[in-house]
Amino acid sequence: MHSKHYFKVFILVVGLLVSCNTKEQKKSNQSIKLEHRYEKLLSYKVDSLSFPRSMSLNPENVHKVPSKDWTSGFFPGSLWQIYKLTGDERYKERAAAWTALVENQKYNDKTHDMGFKVYCSFGEGLKVEDNQFYKDVIVESAKTLCTRFNSNVGSIRSWDFNSDIWEFPVIVDNMLNLELLFEATKISGDSTFHKIAETHANTTLKNHFRADNSIYHVVVYDTISGAPKMKVTHQGFNDESTWARGQGWGIYGYTMAYRYTKNPAFLKQAEATAKFYMEHENLPEDGIPYWDFNDPAIPNAPRDASAAAVVTSALYELYGFTQNKVYLYFANKVLNNLNSSKYLLDDTVNGPFILNHSTGNWPKNDEIDEPISYADYYFLEALLRKKAL
Ligand code: GLY
């Protein structure tokens, strides 16, 4: 062989070795960084009044809430998920300690957020270990949640505030609370929970979607006739806009409802809702949405990494049901982008969070472009779902 040719082969081999090494290096830097963020969650002191909900970064200040806040289940749930990802027993112990602090919510009938609180904590714990106490808490909480069901409307009431204007408000987010009910039937054998969940999902299917499969945030019902009488927003830009996380709750909610019911209408709606989201002209190239698809400030509007995490996790499950690779590729792309220095919190930040750039409540100018606990929860769930494929 000509010496010039040897040289070319030599360069090619060296190039390949260097590229593999850089890839490995990049991979290990990235996992080291994630591990560092996990450590911050572990070192956060257990305290019943201080569930970490979000944090401002400049100056650093963690927004702490008691267990009655709708977000209390996410922090224990994230610790269970980190345990599943790492196998490190310290996370399991911490997860159990935080989970126990949510038990006092099982009789709280003033909220529809029971699923977020109890299923994301006790439900995650139950996936790790067969625990009768966890099962009892889930069933008791499901009983409490069902007291908010109105059979004329065919839905579980979401909020009690604003009752002089909103007779019976139901928000699309409420779809996520149904997982607690479906599981309560599996645990107890009592089909009441499952039936209420399925009825709620059918009512939401009928009334929350626009013709283009975008979602109204709040539907207000007449409790006598059961008919919808107002379709408005609470956290979106305006009544007719598409709030990104609301669209995410819809994709996740109908994919999950299909898991338990195998109702093809639920799967069809999950796919149509995902299509609207994935193909929207205002979705940025990296797949992390602006907080609302119709904010006129786009491209200068804040992003919502929590919506991206909710959707990514849902799309892994949707891919499992459909084998449609469009969902898989999209989910992989967004997960990689979230798991990068642009969205992961820097090591120097001390708060117990993983991701940055979520938007909680834009109309109230609250939690704009900051770390929020539910973004971490659904991000970790997406990592686990990807791993399980
Ligand atoms: N469930 C309330 C929210 O998504 O902000």
Side-chain angles (χ1 to χ4, degrees), residues 230-241:
M230 280 166 91
K231 297 190 180 188
V232 293
T233 197
H234 186 62
Q235 276 161 267
F237 185 77
N238 63 29
D239 293 346
E240 291 303 322
S241 74

Side-chain angles (χ1 to χ4, degrees), residues 336-349:
N336 279 340
N337 289 335
L338 289 174
N339 194 4
S340 74
S341 55
K342 187 170 170 203
Y343 289 97
L344 286 176
L345 273 174
D346 198 77
D347 279 356
T348 54
V349 176

Side-chain angles (χ1 to χ4, degrees), residues 161 234-235 361-368:
F161 67 88
H234 186 62
Q235 276 161 267
N361 196 340
W362 187 90
K364 288 211 157 57
N365 196 22
D366 189 24
E367 297 174 328
I368 311 291

